[in-house]
Amino acid sequence: GQQLNQSPQSMFIQEGEDVSMNCTSSSIFNTWLWYKQEPGEGPVLLIALYKAGELTSNGRLTAQFGITRKDSFLNISASIPSDVGIYFCAGQIVNTNAGKSTFGDGTTLTVKP
Amino acid sequence: GAVVSQHPSWVICKSGTSVKIECRSLDFQATTMFWYRQFPKQSLMLMATSNEGSKATYEQGVEKDKFLINHASLTLSTLTVTSAHPEDSSFYICSAREPGGSYEQYFGPGTRLTVT
């Protein structure tokens, strides 16, 4: 089955710094999704990507769908303490697997004020 | 839009009893819902895909007789953990997918199950 490698596993940064994390896959996906999960909560959708090469922003967040369709990255600019959480990437092969997503293992972000 | 709720948010039960968790899509109709299990500091593990009006599709290794799923309407799916044991203690999260071309999943807030 599909596997996603998400890195880094964790990040400890200073407030104001930029953050970059990525996911790579052994399989081709045609949808990439990025989620943020805070403790005791369900994941919240941040950005959805549908086309290879697509670059999409949501406030200070920017995500790109890799040209090879096997990778995606998420950048957070000028981090703030409320950015703390676990960020998950998820890939889908549309029209197969009933729309199931394959999730990465997550990147835990800690922001020091 | 695209709000998913879960009830209860947390539950403590005794070993051997059954627990039902509800997942509702509040502002859209969801023909497909997913049930996940998450252990501390780990990723989401898909348990089953719940399809309205038909039997759920379980992932390999998930006991369908232990984790009963019912998707009786376009806005409600339930997960019943039968004969719960302490090892079933976990964070259970559902998600719902809007019908149509979008394959985005919207997650509920999760249910913390503790079996004593």
Side-chain angles (χ1 to χ4, degrees):
Chain A
Q2 301 98 17
Q3 288 190 346
L4 288 186
N5 293 311
Q6 186 171 349
S7 66
Q9 187 176 14
S10 60
M11 302 182 75
F12 296 83
I13 62 168
Q14 205 71 38
E15 181 177 1
E17 290 182 1
D18 297 342
V19 171
S20 185
M21 59 191 79
N22 69 83
C23 274
T24 58
S25 169
S26 56
S27 304
I28 290 175
F29 290 111
N30 46 21
T31 299
W32 282 95
L33 306 168
W34 284 93
Y35 292 88
K36 178 188 177 188
Q37 185 179 27
E38 298 189 17
E41 302 286 335
V44 173
L45 181 65
L46 299 173
I47 293 178
L49 302 162
Y50 297 104
K51 282 174 59 176
E54 180 181 354
L55 184 72
T56 297
S57 293
N58 178 5
R60 294 178 294 105
L61 277 61
T62 302
Q64 184 158 31
F65 192 143
I67 291 291
T68 65
R69 296 188 172 183
K70 291 185 176 183
D71 62 329
S72 177
F73 73 73
L74 174 71
N75 286 344
I76 305 173
S77 63
S79 59
I80 59 179
S82 62
D83 290 334
V84 164
I86 304 176
Y87 291 79
F88 291 101
C89 63
Q92 288 183 353
I93 301 176
V94 175
N95 294 327
T96 64
N97 293 334
K100 291 191 295 188
S101 295
T102 300
F103 281 83
D105 288 337
T107 295
T108 300
L109 177 63
T110 303
V111 180
K112 300 179 211 174
Chain B
V3 178
V4 177
S5 71
Q6 271 183 252
H7 178 81
S9 55
W10 60 269
V11 58
I12 301 172
C13 71
K14 291 190 175 178
S15 194
T17 61
S18 295
V19 173
K20 181 186 283 188
I21 302 170
E22 293 184 349
C23 178
R24 293 182 186 272
S25 56
L26 297 185
D27 52 359
F28 66 100
Q29 293 183 328
T31 53
T32 302
M33 291 183 173
F34 302 93
W35 286 96
Y36 294 85
R37 186 173 179 176
Q38 187 178 34
F39 292 104
K41 299 188 187 299
Q42 292 191 21
S43 188
L44 297 100
M45 184 190 81
L46 180 64
M47 299 174 66
T49 302
S50 170
N51 299 297
E52 187 269 335
S54 64
K55 290 183 180 179
T57 304
Y58 290 81
E59 294 299 301
Q60 193 172 10
V62 178
E63 298 176 59
K64 62 180 181 181
D65 294 329
K66 178 164 185 64
F67 298 100
L68 300 177
I69 291 172
N70 187 321
H71 194 153
S73 77
L74 286 172
T75 59
L76 174 64
S77 175
T78 61
L79 168 69
T80 302
V81 183
T82 63
S83 187
H85 290 286
E87 56 265 30
D88 298 325
S89 299
S90 190
F91 194 52
Y92 291 87
I93 315 174
C94 71
S95 71
R97 185 166 68 82
E98 290 185 292
S102 168
Y103 281 78
E104 299 161 14
Q105 288 182 37
Y106 296 91
F107 285 85
T111 297
R112 171 74 57 193
L113 170 63
T114 301
V115 184
T116 61

